[in-house]
Amino acid sequence: MPDRLTGMQIFVRVAATGSLSAAARALGLSQSGVTKHVAALEDRLGARLLHRTTRRLTLTEAGRHYLEACERILAEIDEAEAAAGAETAEPRGTLRLNVPVSFGVLHVAPALAEFGQAHPSLTVELGLNDRPVDLIEEGWDLALRIGHLRDSSLVARSLASCRMRVCASPSYLAAHGRPRRPEDLTAHNCLGYTLASSDGWRFESGTVAVSGSLRASNGAALVAAAAAGLGVIYQPTFLVVEALRRGSLVALDLGTIPSLPIHAVMPSRRRPPAKVRALVEFVARRFADPPWDRGLPAPLGADDPLPAPALVPEPTGRRPAQAGPIQADPVEARLS
């Protein structure tokens, strides 16, 4: 029986990834071992389950029917085990979590200290990546994603809303003028995020096509460039809040901007293991009232005066000017 269940699990993963090698990587097995399990299944069933080509594996009709049965059986086993141990199961082992780079650095990594204290038997492997990752092929247990989901095969739980802001530095606005409507952005140097679904910036009134002298695959880089006076950015509040509080950026009220959802996504419709459920519940509580929006400065209205440009601190390598002649240290004077 254990070998039969293992064969089912391997077949389900091969079907999901469409590749023996990808399934082997995700399961931590050798490709030859995965191949032997699939071959043993086909021999026992007396039917071919997969069409094999040089580029990809596809399911035969018998394979599709068998896959549905395997998924149902494995789900029932997971449900039975989860129900039996729900009261006493302590999350343990390694949990592979993938999150966007800046959100992970600013908000997820600090929160993991509290999570780790509550679950000392669990190790979190934190992957930081702004590109969409294939949870199944790359073996991730869980991912946090910001924006509208495209892959309907994933199980998702809504965690929070992510508000957006149009921002620029006071020095840029003083030099180039202030946009007062979304359409005014076409005349400004708008710094773009290359991983966005489109080059346009979305407002409730419509989408505005923008362009500029810098595009980057990381939002924190765009925030730094905008704070230095390069141009205008359209970024989430969790990224710009500190710059807004310091005054190095100013948020502009150009109309309502739709929020983006933050989801926890999992690669299976079966009941997730205790370690995944524990982390999902933790981040759901942690981000239900987004901490980055507490005390967030209000956007600048069309009639509000521009703040003065933030003072640039003097480089640390430069010695401050002296008000008068340099006085000898009393100890040095006595020794001279």
Side-chain angles (χ1 to χ4, degrees):
M1 190 64 163
D3 287 341
R4 184 171 295 183
L5 287 177
T6 300
M8 287 182 175
Q9 292 167 335
I10 290 174
F11 175 69
V12 168
R13 186 57 62 94
V14 170
T17 60
S19 165
L20 294 169
S21 58
R25 287 193 299 272
L27 294 167
L29 301 173
S30 67
Q31 183 172 337
S32 62
V34 169
T35 302
K36 289 177 182 177
H37 273 285
V38 173
L41 268 180
E42 292 181 324
D43 288 344
R44 186 170 65 248
L45 297 172
R48 174 169 289 187
L49 302 176
L50 299 167
H51 290 302
R52 295 165 173 82
T53 68
T54 56
R55 300 188 63 183
R56 189 170 176 85
L57 301 177
T58 56
L59 293 170
T60 64
E61 184 176 357
R64 287 193 296 272
H65 292 309
Y66 188 64
L67 175 63
E68 292 174 2
C70 287
E71 289 177 332
R72 184 178 65 254
I73 291 167
L74 293 173
E76 290 174 355
I77 291 172
D78 285 347
E79 289 286 352
E81 291 181 346
E87 299 300 323
T88 58
E90 166 62 24
R92 60 183 65 252
T94 298
L95 187 151
R96 302 190 72 228
L97 169 66
N98 192 277
V99 300
V101 176
S102 299
F103 187 69
V105 170
L106 294 172
H107 299 288
V108 177
L112 290 178
E114 179 183 342
F115 181 74
Q117 291 174 355
H119 303 286
S121 300
L122 183 60
T123 298
V124 176
E125 180 183 329
L126 182 63
L128 301 169
N129 208 316
D130 285 331
R131 67 171 177 83
V133 297
D134 188 318
L135 271 65
I136 295 174
E137 183 169 344
E138 299 180 35
W140 297 103
D141 297 305
L142 179 68
L144 302 186
R145 291 188 176 171
I146 301 172
H148 300 285
L149 299 177
R150 302 175 186 174
D151 190 344
S152 60
S153 67
L154 298 174
V155 180
R157 173 169 173 177
S158 178
L159 300 176
S161 292
C162 176
R163 293 198 283 173
M164 304 295 290
R165 288 288 185 267
V166 175
C167 304
S169 70
S171 61
Y172 175 89
L173 297 173
H176 300 278
R178 181 198 316 185
R180 298 177 184 276
R181 302 173 303 164
E183 310 88 80
D184 296 342
L185 292 168
T186 58
H188 283 267
N189 191 36
C190 296
L191 313 184
Y193 182 56
T194 58
L195 300 181
S197 57
S198 71
D199 291 333
W201 290 0
R202 293 180 60 221
F203 295 84
E204 198 169 79
S205 58
T207 300
V208 177
V210 297
S211 61
S213 63
L214 175 66
R215 301 178 74 223
S217 61
N218 179 262
L222 297 175
V223 171
L230 182 58
V232 185
I233 56 172
Y234 178 96
Q235 288 293 315
T237 54
F238 74 78
L239 260 181
V240 299
V241 59
E242 291 304 323
L244 293 177
R245 289 170 179 161
R246 290 194 304 268
S248 56
L249 285 179
V250 175
L252 303 171
D253 185 0
L254 305 184
T256 303
I257 303 176
S259 296
L260 295 177
I262 302 177
H263 286 101
V265 294
M266 293 151 279
S268 172
R269 294 195 180 278
R270 299 195 301 270
R271 181 178 175 86
K275 61 184 180 180
V276 172
R277 297 199 306 272
L279 186 54
V280 170
E281 292 299 328
F282 173 79
V283 294
R285 291 192 304 270
R286 180 96 176 192
F287 299 148
D289 178 20
W292 51 87
D293 282 347
R294 297 170 195 160
L296 181 70
L300 199 66
D303 299 324
D304 294 332
L306 284 176
L311 294 176
V312 178
E314 188 172 11
T316 55
R318 230 175 117 185
R319 184 169 184 169
Q322 297 291 331
I326 299 174
Q327 300 295 322
D329 182 87
V331 175
E332 293 179 353
R334 288 197 299 270
L335 295 176
S336 59

